[in-house]
Amino acid sequence: MDPTVAAWALMGAGELIGMRWVLWDRARQIDPAVYAGLMDIIEGALAPRHDRGADHHDREDRA
């Protein structure tokens, strides 16, 4: 995964979720279930993918 693309995607998700619950609904905090879901997405995007080791290197070699 391209780190720049991942960074922008994660920033966009955080910004839009913040806007949705804090600005538009004027909530004092983001719903805990929504926050947990966002954290799952962030952790999944940033976690090392050991199961793709060979494929990842193959793609780098072709680039």
Side-chain angles (χ1 to χ4, degrees):
M1 176 183 322
D2 182 314
T4 302
V5 173
W8 281 104
L10 294 173
M11 287 188 292
E15 181 176 0
L16 287 172
I17 286 176
M19 287 172 47
R20 160 65 173 84
W21 271 269
V22 177
L23 293 178
W24 300 339
D25 283 354
R26 301 199 186 272
R28 291 189 167 261
Q29 68 180 19
I30 295 170
D31 180 275
V34 172
Y35 179 80
L38 177 60
M39 293 309 296
D40 287 344
I41 291 170
I42 291 170
E43 290 169 4
L46 298 178
R49 299 293 304 250
H50 298 293
D51 59 331
R52 287 196 205 167
D55 292 340
H56 174 71
H57 293 297
D58 289 343
R59 277 185 259 137
E60 283 182 351
D61 292 340
R62 283 182 261 159

